[in-house]
Amino acid sequence: MSSTTRPTPAPPANAVARDAHWARKLARLRARQLPEHTLQICDDLAAKKRLEQAKLEVARCRMADAEAERTTSAETERAEHDLTVTQEAFDEVSLALTFKALPRPVLDGLIKRFPPTEAQAEDGDAWNPETFPAALIAAAHIERDDVGKAVEGMTEDDAQDLLDSWPVAESNALFAAAWQAQQIVRTSTVELGKD
């Protein structure tokens, strides 16, 4: 009795195509960049006012174009150009702090690292509001050099110093920017109708 080996049957073509399709989709899902949120800080009130006025002028011109049922007018083009120049001037005198969303296990670990006290938990806090904000700010802050490469950024001590030395509205805005980065949703759902 001779032993013969049978050739391995080829998988069905539709299964191979489905696997390749899923592999491509999964690769894209894994390659997604984490969302970012930027807090822009400007102490030059005149630059801030000029930017707001330029934005209002563009909005006014666009509204006039829409009401006149025309494409972009020369006045709107000038206002848009002025806005670009004003925005660049504003950016020059401003500081930007960028915060990146943390992967879920990292954020969960950070929250567990700073649990609320019993009194804070009774008040409904999910973390210690005295220590967690600086830790989140430091963990989420991403600093980039002039060519866009990530470099060392804010420490927890730096963050706590800013939170303690800034006015309450600005320190709240700093924490809110770091928290907002964790809340950015870039997904949507599609509801399919019934046949």
Side-chain angles (χ1 to χ4, degrees):
M1 187 168 158
S2 68
S3 78
T4 59
T5 57
R6 293 185 184 183
T8 306
N14 65 347
V16 171
R18 190 172 54 245
D19 287 347
H21 168 81
W22 175 245
R24 284 190 307 275
K25 186 180 277 189
L26 186 57
R28 285 185 63 198
L29 289 169
R30 287 182 173 150
R32 293 177 72 222
Q33 297 297 310
L34 295 169
E36 295 181 2
H37 182 72
T38 300
L39 173 67
Q40 198 154 10
I41 303 162
C42 182
D43 292 330
D44 186 334
L45 297 180
K48 194 173 184 177
K49 184 176 181 180
R50 284 190 297 274
L51 180 61
E52 291 305 315
Q53 289 172 334
K55 287 178 180 179
L56 288 172
E57 181 62 12
V58 167
R60 185 194 67 73
C61 289
R62 288 178 180 164
M63 186 177 292
D65 288 346
E67 288 173 357
E69 298 180 359
R70 64 180 173 234
T71 58
T72 305
S73 65
E75 184 181 14
T76 302
E77 288 176 358
R78 276 191 304 279
E80 289 171 344
H81 172 75
D82 290 347
L83 175 58
T84 299
V85 170
T86 305
Q87 181 70 57
E88 288 169 359
F90 177 83
D91 292 344
E92 281 290 316
V93 297
S94 298
L95 295 170
L97 292 174
T98 301
F99 300 95
K100 188 176 225 175
L102 302 172
R104 186 188 50 77
V106 174
L107 181 60
D108 290 348
L110 197 59
I111 290 170
K112 287 177 185 168
R113 197 174 123 209
F114 296 96
T117 64
E118 284 185 36
Q120 292 166 343
E122 287 175 12
D123 288 342
D125 291 323
W127 56 73
N128 187 319
E130 295 175 17
T131 55
F132 175 74
L136 177 65
I137 291 165
H141 177 247
I142 182 156
E143 188 66 28
R144 293 187 180 94
D145 64 15
D146 293 338
V147 294
K149 181 182 174 196
V151 295
E152 189 173 329
M154 196 177 318
T155 66
E156 284 184 34
D157 288 340
D158 294 334
Q160 191 62 58
D161 181 54
L162 294 176
L163 289 169
D164 291 342
S165 62
W166 286 4
V168 69
E170 292 179 353
S171 66
N172 286 344
L174 178 61
F175 172 69
W179 185 249
Q180 181 62 36
Q182 312 315 308
Q183 306 303 309
I184 295 171
V185 177
R186 299 176 297 176
T187 61
S188 60
T189 57
V190 177
E191 225 175 278
L192 301 176
K194 294 183 181 181
D195 290 349

